[in-house]
């Protein structure tokens, strides 16, 4: 129980800082979407915890999380799909570079950082703090990248995005079904279902 709580808390802290950095880089207002982002991050990390502990799929967790963030930006923040991928990967790259630098500054090596649970939690906390500072300070000073992502939007993008989400759910559900992890199938369905529901409700609010 303690391990699960620690994983969820520090992973949520880490993922939320990734979200903030991605948004600040491109001058979006992240706290406008903080509530929905935290719900998606919580569900995403719950999925990740089970994947890491029940299956040998830890190497695929970053890819799965990237896809979930791409879908989040596309259906909630309403960034076109190509732009959502750019925003997600830019934040992920910046986050990764900062964490890699802190790993060697604080612990000297990856092995040392992973040697104890407390080291891991310390690294996650330090990364979240530094990532937030690196994101918010330039933003407050007026710096950032303003990209006209709307020009990258293609025809029927909303439908294509929905199809990709369903396809993603079908593929991962098949893998999990083979491994008899129906609870995890349900969690992924809830995660993607929430995104689609939020997207529909947001569209209606502007009618």
């Amino acid at each position: 129980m303690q391990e699960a709580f620690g994983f969820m808390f520090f992973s949520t802290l880490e993922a939320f800082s990734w979200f903030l950095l991605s948004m600040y880089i491109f001058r979006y207002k992240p706290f406008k979407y903080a509530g929905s982002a935290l719900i998606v991050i919580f569900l995403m990390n719950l999925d990740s915890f089970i994947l890491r502990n029940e299956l040998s799929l830890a190497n695929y967790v970053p890819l799965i999380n990237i896809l979930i963030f791409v879908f989040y930006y596309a259906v909630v923040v309403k960034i076109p799909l190509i732009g959502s991928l750019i925003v997600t990967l830019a934040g992920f790259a910046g986050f990764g570079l900062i964490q890699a630098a802190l790993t060697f500054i604080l612990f000297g090596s990856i092995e040392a950082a992973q040697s104890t649970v407390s080291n891991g939690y310390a690294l996650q906390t330090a990364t979240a703090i530094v990532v937030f500072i690196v994101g918010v300070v330039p933003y407050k000073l007026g710096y950032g990248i303003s990209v006209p992502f709307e020009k990258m939007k293609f025809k029927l993008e909303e439908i294509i995005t929905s199809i990709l989400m369903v396809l993603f759910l079908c593929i991962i559900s098949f893998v999990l079904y083979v491994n008899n992890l129906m609870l995890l199938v349900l969690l992924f369905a809830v995660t993607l279902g929430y995104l689609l529901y939020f997207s529909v409700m947001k569209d209606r609010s502007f009618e």
Side-chain angles (χ1 to χ4, degrees), residues 81-109:
L81 195 58
I82 295 175
S84 295
L85 181 61
I86 293 171
V87 169
T88 302
L89 292 179
F92 183 74
F95 177 92
L97 287 172
I98 291 170
Q99 188 165 74
L102 287 173
T103 298
F104 289 98
I105 291 171
L106 297 176
F107 302 102
S109 68

Side-chain angles (χ1 to χ4, degrees), residues 116-130:
T116 66
V117 173
S118 60
N119 281 359
Y121 291 160
L123 177 61
Q124 287 178 295
T125 303
T127 302
I129 293 171
V130 173

Side-chain angles (χ1 to χ4, degrees), residues 123-140:
L123 177 61
Q124 287 178 295
T125 303
T127 302
I129 293 171
V130 173
V131 166
F132 174 74
I133 294 171
V134 168
V136 73
V137 171
Y139 177 84
K140 293 295 185 181

Side-chain angles (χ1 to χ4, degrees), residues 67-177:
L67 289 173
I68 291 175
F69 263 122
V70 169
F71 293 140
Y72 175 83
Y73 291 128
V75 304
V76 178
V77 188
K78 297 299 182 184
I79 302 173
L81 195 58
I82 295 175
S84 295
L85 181 61
I86 293 171
V87 169
T88 302
L89 292 179
F92 183 74
F95 177 92
L97 287 172
I98 291 170
Q99 188 165 74
L102 287 173
T103 298
F104 289 98
I105 291 171
L106 297 176
F107 302 102
S109 68
I110 296 174
E111 291 75 16
Q114 296 176 340
S115 61
T116 66
V117 173
S118 60
N119 281 359
Y121 291 160
L123 177 61
Q124 287 178 295
T125 303
T127 302
I129 293 171
V130 173
V131 166
F132 174 74
I133 294 171
V134 168
V136 73
V137 171
Y139 177 84
K140 293 295 185 181
L141 293 174
Y143 295 102
I145 305 171
S146 296
V147 181
F149 287 124
E150 286 301 319
K151 294 182 179 179
M152 300 180 184
K153 190 171 184 176
F154 47 85
K155 191 176 181 181
L156 303 176
E157 181 166 298
E158 290 82 2
I159 296 174
I160 293 172
T161 302
S162 298
I163 291 172
L164 288 174
M165 289 175 67
V166 172
L167 183 61
F168 168 68
L169 179 60
C170 290
I171 292 172
I172 199 164
S173 294
F174 173 76
V175 174
L176 298 172
Y177 175 78

